Amino acid sequence: MSHWRSAIYAYGKANLTIESSFFIDNTASYGGAIMDREGNQLSCNRCLVEYNFAEIDGGAIYADYGTHEKWTDSYFLDNQAKHCGGVFYVISRASQLEATKIEVTNSVFSGNTVPLPANLMNLNNSDVYFGANKLAESSTVGVVGSI
């Protein structure tokens, strides 16, 4: 297992578009499937994100340092982190000029877990739009800035 290297490690203001792709059974310390850092623009449509694992935060996706992500018509199933954010760990740093932004629409979440109450997302000074999604019974809403 690599500390930072997920299936996709995006760094340094990259523009990525991912269509109809599968991220299955990936493992890293942070962001099991995707580590998104340093102001990237990431657009993912019709993707399956399943069985990914983070030893620390962001079972599927770790978004940091002013990145902008847009997820549409995707499935987030059975992802897990040992600490925070079974699917997403989203953070903005105080030294940044722009907040990390995540938009998730028309997507399905089921079976994503962490040991803490917030098993979908952990948010820290970030901007998140979460609308028109389907949450299974196993996906709970947490506390203190977390979903």
Side-chain angles (χ1 to χ4, degrees):
M1 177 185 62
S2 175
H3 182 70
W4 291 106
R5 304 297 188 248
S6 307
I8 292 180
Y9 181 82
Y11 180 84
K13 299 183 181 177
N15 290 311
L16 297 103
T17 300
I18 302 169
E19 300 273 345
S20 303
S21 297
F22 300 102
F23 296 93
I24 300 173
D25 202 22
N26 298 288
T27 300
S29 294
Y30 298 92
I34 297 173
M35 167 62 89
D36 189 5
R37 303 188 73 202
E38 296 287 333
N40 299 308
Q41 304 288 322
L42 174 65
S43 175
C44 296
N45 303 301
R46 296 178 309 279
C47 292
L48 173 63
V49 183
E50 183 175 34
Y51 300 121
N52 297 289
F53 178 74
E55 283 288 334
I56 302 171
D57 295 325
I61 295 106
Y62 187 100
D64 194 0
Y65 289 103
T67 62
H68 295 176
E69 291 187 8
K70 184 175 182 178
W71 291 83
T72 307
D73 299 322
S74 295
Y75 289 82
F76 300 91
L77 310 174
D78 299 309
N79 298 288
Q80 181 180 12
K82 276 192 176 177
H83 187 247
C84 290
V87 177
F88 288 94
Y89 185 87
V90 184
I91 187 168
S92 293
R93 309 287 181 178
S95 61
Q96 290 174 208
L97 296 176
E98 189 172 357
T100 302
K101 297 178 183 176
I102 306 294
E103 179 179 330
V104 183
T105 55
N106 298 322
S107 295
V108 175
F109 293 82
S110 179
N112 302 291
T113 60
V114 294
L116 302 174
N119 67 4
L120 285 183
M121 298 183 192
N122 187 78
L123 314 175
N124 186 345
N125 297 319
S126 302
D127 183 8
V128 173
Y129 172 78
F130 192 75
N133 297 295
K134 295 180 183 176
L135 305 178
E137 290 180 23
S138 60
S139 299
T140 61
V141 175
V143 294
V144 191
S146 299
I147 297 177

